[in-house]
Amino acid sequence: MPKFAANLSLLFTEYDFQKRFVHAAAAGFKGVEYLFPYDHTATALRQLLDDNQLEQVLFNLPAGNWGAGERGLACLPDRRQEFQDSVHLALEYACTLGNSLIHCMAGIKPEGLSTTAALTCYLENLHYAAQAAAEHDRIICIEPINHFDMPGYFLNYSQQALDIVHELNHDNIKLQFDIYHAQRMEGHICFSLERLLPYIAHIQIANTPGRHEPHLGELNYDFIFHFLKQLQYSGWIGCEYIPAHHTGAGLSWLQPYLHHPH
C-alpha cells in the first residue's frame, strides 16, 4: 500500500505547528514533511517525531527570504556562499531528524540574469550539494514547479529536471515528482510516472484545480495510486495539498489506504 506523509506546512494548520504532529499521527499518517525545520531545534523536532511515532520524510534546504518572495538560492550567482552554508545546515538537521531526502529549491531567476548564467550556477550548486549530501548518505531532490503558482521559478518541466539529473550524473540527485505541478504544466501523469520512475525519490500530490484533496478534482488518484503500486513504487507520497475546509473533514480519501489485511 502507498506510504503517505502529511505535509505539515499545509495540513492541520488549524493547530500550532507542534500540535500538527499529534493530529497527523491520529489521522493515520506514518510520515511527515514540511517546508522548513529551521525555526525549531532539530532535537525538539526529533522529540515530536518520536513522541508520535512518525518518520521525517523530507524538508527543503533554506530558500532565502521566503516572506520577501524568494523561492530558493540555487540559481542565484551572488548567493553561492549562502547556498553552501545552507547545505550544511540542512544536513545537520537531516542527520538528527533521520530523513534521507532534502529538496533543493532552484529559485526565481532574477531579471537581467541570463538563463545560461543561472543554469551554470544551478548546476554547480547542485553538484556541491550532492557531494556534501553523499558524505551523509543523503539524497538531494529537485522538483519542477508550475509557473502559474510560482512565476519565474527556474525549473518547470520534468524533462528539464531529467536533463539536469543526467548532466550531473550523481547517484544522489533525484526527482521530486509533484503530480499537481506536473498536471498543470504537462499532463500525461501516468506516462510520466512510468518513464521517470527510475529517477524519482519522492512523489507529492494535490488535485487540480484548486490544489485541494486528492478526491476533489480532475485527476483520478485511486487510479494513480493503483498504477504506482503496479510500478512497484516504494517511496513516500507527500500530501502537499490545501484542505478545502477543515483538514480532518477532508481525509475520507485516506481511509481505504490505512486499514488493509496483511
Side-chain angles (χ1 to χ4, degrees), residues 17 21 38 41 46 71 78 84 98 118 150 189 236 240 253:
F17 185 70
F21 292 79
Y38 313 107
T41 66
R46 179 75 217 198
R71 294 294 181 265
D78 58 346
Q84 292 182 8
M150 205 174 282
I189 295 301
W236 287 88
E240 194 184 30
W253 68 270

Side-chain angles (χ1 to χ4, degrees), residues 5-9 11-38 40-59 93 97:
N7 188 306
L8 300 185
S9 298
L11 301 191
F12 304 106
T13 57
E14 301 89 353
Y15 310 104
D16 289 343
F17 185 70
Q18 288 91 330
K19 287 278 193 292
R20 295 176 201 172
F21 292 79
V22 179
H23 288 278
F29 288 103
K30 301 297 183 205
V32 294
E33 60 183 43
Y34 35 76
L35 289 178
F36 307 108
Y38 313 107
H40 308 268
T41 66
T43 44
L45 291 170
R46 179 75 217 198
Q47 192 65 52
L48 287 167
L49 294 168
D50 291 346
D51 288 348
N52 296 287
Q53 294 178 292
L54 290 166
E55 188 173 327
Q56 183 75 41
V57 175
L58 174 89
F59 57 75
Y93 270 84
L97 299 180

Side-chain angles (χ1 to χ4, degrees), residues 1-4 179 190 193 203-206 214-215 220-233 237-239 253-254 257:
M1 300 297 272
K3 296 190 299 184
F4 292 106
I179 291 175
C190 288
L193 285 169
I203 288 171
Q204 290 175 319
I205 59 169
H215 64 297
N220 180 350
Y221 268 105
D222 285 335
F223 182 89
I224 292 170
F225 296 150
H226 183 68
F227 188 73
L228 284 169
K229 184 181 174 186
Q230 288 180 306
L231 292 178
Q232 299 182 304
Y233 173 70
I237 297 174
C239 301
W253 68 270
L254 183 62
Y257 299 101

Side-chain angles (χ1 to χ4, degrees), residues 206-225:
N207 218 321
T208 59
R211 202 173 187 173
H212 296 314
E213 283 86 346
H215 64 297
L216 300 178
E218 64 188 349
L219 288 169
N220 180 350
Y221 268 105
D222 285 335
F223 182 89
I224 292 170
F225 296 150

